[in-house]
């Protein structure tokens, strides 16, 4: 008998290790030998720890399982009897069934540490095809897919790779941005813990495409499980010849290592990330030169988010056009959307671009966990805009969000119920920028401090209208005058809070007058 239980940090945090060991022991006590496979997570966090039993080619789920449930569940498994936590075939659960999993195709299904399992589930096909292609042909395939950077800026990946391919240098690098600093995001972590070989394959393809023979994965220190999973997978890939002087038996050399960040939001910004890998303080570099021309150690560098690189093996194995067939407008392919905050069904939902915000939050996410009405959602991390339910017909699409003064970012959606104070959230946006600013430019370094002070005056009911005007002016200065998006985008949450929830600011004037 085979039993699958996630070893993902999210599942482990709610007791998956204990459930796994106790279930194996309980089944053995009942005379049933079971092989327990620790997988990645399926991304249905409200069901974790999710236990899956293989039966007649299908996986039958139980969840969320606590150690106290183990004896009864073991009994149900052995006798084939029912149990209140039985979920039926996992693939039939509406949250999973409604998804199109291209990037997360194997996550929650395979043993993430087994290269054989990876290969048995379609892994390495993209790399094998790339080995027989020229760099320009690979870049052309990625361009045809319409893939845009999943780290935040949505820049076309094919154009970035083409620039590095065409830049002549004695060395080039592939850097994977796994800093994943945005609030409410966890997709990078889930890939690294649940299907690390897909990232290694994507980076190796990128290396072959642009002529780079070394890569770095920059992982935030708060992700110890992901760091370990990637290090083990890199070693396994190296020992099987997927990495090393002859990638997959080809004439291409490519190897990589993990670098651990020290914990700064700004180290997710690509140029300060490069500074950090070089052993310096996370400090934003002025552009130009672009990292594609002069990046890590002064060499041409592809820097991509985990999800961008993890999408590449599918694009190479199935063809760029197949990927591009999904999506809407200029947002092609699928996006692993992360539902978080005060939400009933939080988790990872991979879907083609185009679903509306309302469908994602209300239908798929099931509304708030508190059961109270949704009042606001923040999309795209701490620099993303807040949207009220009146804007829930907004389709998940880069251009549609930009036209609504928002951004998709890394596709994290954080939900708030009607107890949220949006003036307080605006203050927090400025405070976050103040704490995380690298300090290089004045609009961000000083603007965030002054912005926080101005909002505090509004909160105290002090000349509210005049201070709102001053805040708008300050937001303009930060937006136009900041060197990077930390200072430049902090106005998004502040202004969207002001625009969509003005009553939370003006209530202070009324309260002060009374
Ligand atoms: C303050 C700040 C933080 C960022 N944090 C991240 C991050 O955690 N992960 C990420 O992939 N990109 C982050 N970015 C975006 C990167 O600068 C860069 O655009 C991205 O790594 C490029 O990869 P992509 O084209 O695949 O998205 C951040 C940008 C800024 C301005
Ligand atoms: S905007 Fe902020 S984080 Fe970015 S360079 Fe300026 S001071 Fe540094």
């Amino acid at each position: 008998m085979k039993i699958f239980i996630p070893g993902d940090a999210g599942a482990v945090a709610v007791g998956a290790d204990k459930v796994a060991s106790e279930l194996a022991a309980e089944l053995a006590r009942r005379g049933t030998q079971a092989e327990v496979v620790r997988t990645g997570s399926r991304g249905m966090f409200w069901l974790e720890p999710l236990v899956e039993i293989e039966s007649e080619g299908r996986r039958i789920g139980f969840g969320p399982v606590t150690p106290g449930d183990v004896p009864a569940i073991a009994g149900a498994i052995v006798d084939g009897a029912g149990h209140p936590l039985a979920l039926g075939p996992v693939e039939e659960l509406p949250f999973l069934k409604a998804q199109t999993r291209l990037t997360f195709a194997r996550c929650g299904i395979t043993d993430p540490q087994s290269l054989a399992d990876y290969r048995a589930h379609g892994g390495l096909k993209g790399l094998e095809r790339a080995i027989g292609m020229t760099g320009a042909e690979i870049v052309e395939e990625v361009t045809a897919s319409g893939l845009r950077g999943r780290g935040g800026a949505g820049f076309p990946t094919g154009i970035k790779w083409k620039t590095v391919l065409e830049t002549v240098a004695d060395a080039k690098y592939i850097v994977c941005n796994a800093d994943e600093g945005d609030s409410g995001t966890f997709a990078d972590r889930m890939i690294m813990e649940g299907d690390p070989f897909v990232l290694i394959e994507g980076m190796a393809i990128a290396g072959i495409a642009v002529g780079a023979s070394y890569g770095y994965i920059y992982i935030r220190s708060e992700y110890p499980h992901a760091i370990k999973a990637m290090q083990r997978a890199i070693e396994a890939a190296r020992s099987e010849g997927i990495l090393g002087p002859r990638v997959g038996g080809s004439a291409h050399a490519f190897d990589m290592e993990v670098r651990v960040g020290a914990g700064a939001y700004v180290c997710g910004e690509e140029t300060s990330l490069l500074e950090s890998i070089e052993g310096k303080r996370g400090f934003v570099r002025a552009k130009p030169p672009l990292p594609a021309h002069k990046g890590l150690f002064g060499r041409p560098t592809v820097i991509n988010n985990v999800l961008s690189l993890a999408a590449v093996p599918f694009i190479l194995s199935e063809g760029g056009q197949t990927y591009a067939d999904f999506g809407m407008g200029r947002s092609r392919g699928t996006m692993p959307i992360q539902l978080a905050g005060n939400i009933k069904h939080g988790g990872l939902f991979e879907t083609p671009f185009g679903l509306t915000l309302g469908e994602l939050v209300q239908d798929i996410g099931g509304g708030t966990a508190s059961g109270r009405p949704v009042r606001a959602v923040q999309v795209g991390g701490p620099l993303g805009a807040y949207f009220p339910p009146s804007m829930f017909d907004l389709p998940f699409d880069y251009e549609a969000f930009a036209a609504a003064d928002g951004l998709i970012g890394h596709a994290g959606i954080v939900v708030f119920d009607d107890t949220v104070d949006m003036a307080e959230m605006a203050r927090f946006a400025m405070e976050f920028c103040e704490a995380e600013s690298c300090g290089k430019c004045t609009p961000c370094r000083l603007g965030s401090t002054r912005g926080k002070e101005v909002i505090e005056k509004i909160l105290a009911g002090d000349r509210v209208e005049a201070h709102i005007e001053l805040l708008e002016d300050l937001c303009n200065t930060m937006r136009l005058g900041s060197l990077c998006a930390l200072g430049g985008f902090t106005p998004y949450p502040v202004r969207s809070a002001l625009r969509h929830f003005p009553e939370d600011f003006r209530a202070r004037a009324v309260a002060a007058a009374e």
Side-chain angles (χ1 to χ4, degrees):
M1 178 182 288
K2 254 187 167 175
I3 296 179
F4 301 86
I5 302 176
D8 172 275
V12 168
V14 289
D17 283 350
K18 197 150 193 253
V19 168
S21 60
E22 291 195 6
L23 188 57
E26 183 68 28
L27 286 168
R29 213 173 53 77
R30 290 167 187 257
T32 301
Q33 278 310 316
E35 180 196 348
V36 178
V37 180
R38 303 302 300 271
T39 60
S41 172
R42 296 272 199 173
M44 299 180 286
F45 292 157
W46 72 100
L47 294 178
E48 296 287 11
L50 174 64
V51 172
E52 299 180 31
I53 320 295
E54 199 167 62
S55 167
E56 295 167 0
R58 294 194 303 179
R59 294 197 187 168
I60 308 299
F62 295 85
V65 178
T66 65
D69 299 318
V70 164
I73 286 181
I77 292 169
V78 172
D79 305 335
H83 187 278
L85 295 180
L87 301 164
V90 175
E91 305 276 351
E92 297 299 317
L93 294 173
F95 190 89
L96 264 188
K97 212 172 171 195
Q99 297 189 43
T100 303
R101 289 198 160 198
L102 308 185
T103 302
F104 277 77
R106 279 170 297 265
C107 197
I109 294 173
T110 53
D111 173 354
Q113 295 303 325
S114 164
L115 196 52
D117 214 6
Y118 180 65
R119 198 189 285 274
H121 285 80
L124 297 176
K125 275 205 255 166
L127 180 62
E128 280 156 13
R129 178 160 172 251
I131 282 169
M133 296 163 77
T134 64
E137 284 168 347
I138 301 172
V139 169
E140 185 49 45
E141 198 74 90
V142 172
T143 305
S145 75
L147 178 67
R148 292 166 71 174
R150 304 299 193 221
F155 188 80
T157 306
I159 294 178
K160 190 181 282 189
W161 287 23
K162 190 167 188 275
T163 311
V164 177
L165 169 67
E166 290 173 353
T167 306
V168 179
D170 61 345
K172 298 178 185 181
Y173 296 102
I174 307 298
V175 172
C176 172
N177 188 343
D179 199 48
E180 195 157 58
D182 279 2
S183 38
T185 64
F186 40 78
D188 295 351
R189 181 187 62 69
M190 282 180 63
I191 280 288
M192 291 188 285
E193 294 179 14
D195 195 14
F197 293 116
V198 80
L199 180 54
I200 293 172
E201 185 180 351
M203 287 182 71
I205 293 170
I208 293 171
V210 304
S213 55
Y214 207 79
Y216 293 88
I217 306 178
Y218 186 89
I219 310 179
R220 60 186 298 142
S221 60
E222 297 90 334
Y223 280 179
H225 297 78
I227 292 164
K228 206 180 281 172
M230 284 312 312
Q231 284 168 336
R232 278 167 38 188
I234 289 170
E235 269 170 39
R238 203 177 283 140
S239 70
E240 299 270 339
I242 304 303
L243 293 175
R246 292 172 55 77
V247 171
S250 73
H252 300 284
F254 190 77
D255 213 330
M256 65 175 81
E257 67 182 88
V258 170
R259 284 294 175 95
V260 180
Y265 182 69
V266 80
C267 281
E269 192 282 331
E270 57 187 10
T271 62
S272 53
L273 186 152
L274 297 178
E275 290 281 299
S276 179
I277 294 181
E278 290 179 8
K280 299 174 215 153
R281 158 162 95 90
F283 203 51
V284 174
R285 295 178 185 171
K287 287 189 271 193
L290 294 170
H293 289 134
K294 210 164 177 278
L296 190 62
F297 306 118
R299 304 301 199 291
T301 302
V302 164
I303 173 157
N304 272 133
N305 174 251
V306 171
L307 299 180
S308 314
L309 290 161
V312 167
F314 176 91
I315 290 166
L316 264 292
S317 71
E318 308 306 315
Q321 189 54 50
T322 309
Y323 190 78
D325 285 345
F326 296 97
M328 70 173 279
R330 290 178 47 224
S331 306
R332 309 310 316 170
T334 58
M335 189 76 201
I337 295 169
Q338 298 128 89
L339 301 171
N342 188 344
I343 190 157
K344 191 170 171 199
H345 293 156
L348 189 288
F349 191 87
E350 183 176 351
T351 180
F353 286 93
L355 282 188
T356 67
L357 203 43
E359 285 169 319
L360 288 163
V361 173
Q362 305 285 24
D363 304 346
I364 290 151
T368 62
S370 62
R372 300 182 67 91
V374 174
R375 178 144 192 256
V377 295
Q378 187 178 29
V379 184
L383 312 176
Y386 289 100
F387 294 107
S390 59
M391 293 180 76
F392 273 10
D393 57 356
L394 197 59
F396 216 77
D397 162 71
Y398 289 106
E399 277 64 43
F401 266 66
D405 289 328
L407 50 111
I408 281 181
H410 191 45
I413 300 180
V414 179
V415 179
F416 298 83
D417 73 12
D418 62 351
T419 59
V420 68
D421 178 344
M422 295 307 295
E424 185 55 49
M425 299 314 290
R427 192 199 68 83
F428 174 71
M430 286 292 188
E431 187 182 37
F432 179 81
C433 183
E434 178 190 38
E436 298 294 336
S437 170
C438 83
K440 185 157 181 158
C441 64
T442 314
C444 169
R445 186 184 66 245
L446 293 185
S448 54
T449 304
R450 295 289 95 86
K452 190 187 74 176
E453 289 167 1
V454 170
I455 299 174
E456 279 168 355
K457 285 183 179 148
I458 295 170
L459 286 167
D462 175 8
R463 289 170 294 147
V464 169
E465 292 304 326
H467 280 125
I468 286 178
E469 204 175 311
L470 187 61
L471 184 60
E472 288 279 8
D473 199 25
L474 183 61
C475 281
N476 247 342
T477 306
M478 288 177 73
R479 185 174 66 84
L480 299 171
S482 296
L483 183 58
C484 86
L486 179 45
F489 285 11
T490 293
Y492 275 110
V494 175
R495 279 196 154 142
S496 57
L498 266 170
R499 181 191 302 173
H500 303 307
F501 307 93
E503 62 276 19
D504 286 21
F505 295 81
R506 299 209 156 85
R508 266 55 189 211
V510 177
E514 280 169 356

